[in-house]
Amino acid sequence: MSDQSFVGIVPRGEVAGLFAQFLNQSGGGKAPSGRREREAESGRREGRRRQSQRQENPRQQHRGPQERPYSRGPRPRRTLSHDLLPLWNGHQIFGDSMMLRFAGLTTSARPSFNKSLNANQLGYCVSGQTSGQLLRFMKSKQRPKMAKKAILMIGTNNILKRVPLEESKRALSNIVEELKKSTDKLIVMTIPPVPKLMKDKTAVEAIKSYNLCIKAIPNSDGIIVQDISPLFYEENTIRMELFETDQIHWTRAAMQMVAEQLKETILLS
């Protein structure tokens, strides 16, 4: 083949120059001057915008790429298992699911599921907890902190789970003794009736006997006995409207009623 290409019309050495000229004319090489100017102007506008932001918020000038962006206000506080929770009117609450729900209604604290206990927990309030279980929890290494003022209501699950009455009373007495060591003021509440068991004479008598044990605690050394049981009766009949459909737990109205009575006790003590 000869030194000429394209059927001998254009010499091979001139092909590259002609191709480059074609690209420049058609826009296939460098960007046209108009487009380059628009891109440059866009970059200048972005630079001016960032400079303006740095002047308005000096904190962001020296923020490194790995730092958390500046935000207004404190970060949300984490709820720790060793906090004094739940705390109501300066009193830490001890008890079972009844007091867990009471704390959920009257405080901003919220329970979480404790895998080791296999139950919902908020401080010393544990769902399904008996007096014996509370006593063991108070003596365990995982026990939360204790406040100087406390409210205690425990025992309903003892009745539901058929724990021997004397065992329940003994555990209650030991809980009170433990709390006396760390608190300056303790309110011990009687347990309410359980409509679900009102046809079980043994359970009804057990509740009465257990509450008599609580009422026998002397009102001294910073201890106050709060008898809430009468709130749930009207002419010796259980007020069913104060209980949820499970006939065990209180309604919101019942919890508010108990809260009002506790407030009066706290103000007078």
Side-chain angles (χ1 to χ4, degrees):
M1 193 173 180
S2 67
D3 291 339
Q4 288 185 341
S5 302
F6 296 5
V7 200
I9 298 175
V10 182
R12 181 179 295 174
E14 297 179 14
V15 171
L18 290 171
F19 186 71
Q21 183 179 358
F22 170 76
L23 288 176
N24 287 334
Q25 291 175 352
S26 62
K30 295 183 180 180
S33 59
R35 188 171 121 196
R36 289 199 300 270
E37 290 175 1
R38 287 195 299 272
E39 291 176 350
E41 179 60 27
S42 177
R44 287 191 291 270
R45 283 198 301 269
E46 180 65 17
R48 289 194 294 269
R49 186 183 66 81
R50 292 182 180 179
Q51 179 65 25
S52 176
Q53 285 182 340
R54 285 194 292 268
Q55 290 174 353
E56 292 175 1
N57 191 356
R59 285 176 179 263
Q60 291 187 349
Q61 275 188 311
H62 307 292
R63 178 166 55 85
Q66 302 300 321
E67 294 181 18
R68 184 172 62 90
Y70 172 68
S71 60
R72 300 179 185 274
R75 296 180 67 182
R77 181 176 176 274
R78 294 178 62 189
T79 299
L80 303 177
S81 61
H82 290 285
D83 287 342
L84 296 173
L85 297 175
L87 205 62
W88 179 76
N89 279 7
H91 291 66
Q92 190 176 14
I93 302 173
F94 292 70
D96 49 30
S97 61
M98 208 81 77
M99 300 311 289
L100 194 69
R101 294 180 178 213
F102 178 85
L105 176 68
T106 59
T107 74
S108 60
R110 293 295 176 266
S112 60
F113 186 76
N114 187 315
K115 290 184 179 179
S116 62
L117 298 174
N118 193 33
N120 289 326
Q121 178 207 0
L122 183 57
Y124 285 101
C125 293
V126 180
S127 181
Q129 184 169 239
T130 64
S131 56
Q133 290 170 328
L134 173 58
L135 180 62
R136 288 192 293 274
F137 187 29
M138 291 170 63
K139 293 182 176 182
S140 69
K141 293 182 179 180
Q142 291 78 30
R143 63 184 181 274
K145 292 179 181 179
M146 291 187 185
K148 290 298 182 182
K149 298 178 181 179
I151 296 173
L152 169 68
M153 194 194 83
I154 191 73
T156 300
N157 287 305
N158 291 62
I159 307 300
L160 290 168
K161 296 179 180 181
R162 311 291 179 176
V163 177
L165 186 57
E166 292 306 314
E167 180 181 331
S168 300
K169 292 179 179 180
R170 186 165 55 252
L172 172 67
S173 178
N174 289 333
I175 289 171
V176 172
E177 290 301 317
E178 285 293 319
L179 287 172
K180 283 171 63 176
K181 296 176 185 178
S182 56
T183 61
D184 298 329
K185 180 180 176 182
L186 171 62
I187 299 175
V188 184
M189 296 195 297
T190 57
I191 63 174
V194 181
K196 184 178 180 179
L197 302 176
M198 63 182 178
K199 294 182 180 180
D200 186 336
K201 292 183 179 180
T202 302
V204 172
E205 290 301 317
I207 293 173
K208 289 181 180 179
S209 181
Y210 187 81
N211 280 339
L212 286 174
C213 178
I214 294 173
K215 294 175 186 178
I217 299 173
N219 285 319
S220 61
D221 299 325
I223 299 177
I224 300 171
V225 173
Q226 181 74 61
D227 187 10
I228 65 168
S229 185
L231 296 175
F232 295 86
Y233 286 94
E234 186 173 6
E235 297 181 354
N236 296 321
T237 301
I238 296 176
R239 297 175 62 184
M240 297 299 295
E241 72 275 11
L242 297 178
F243 293 88
E244 293 185 354
T245 55
D246 63 2
Q247 297 186 358
I248 298 174
H249 295 97
W250 305 339
T251 61
R252 292 175 65 90
M255 287 187 279
Q256 290 170 349
M257 188 172 59
V258 171
E260 289 301 318
Q261 191 178 81
L262 283 171
K263 285 179 183 178
E264 292 180 9
T265 301
I266 291 171
L267 289 173
L268 293 174
S269 61

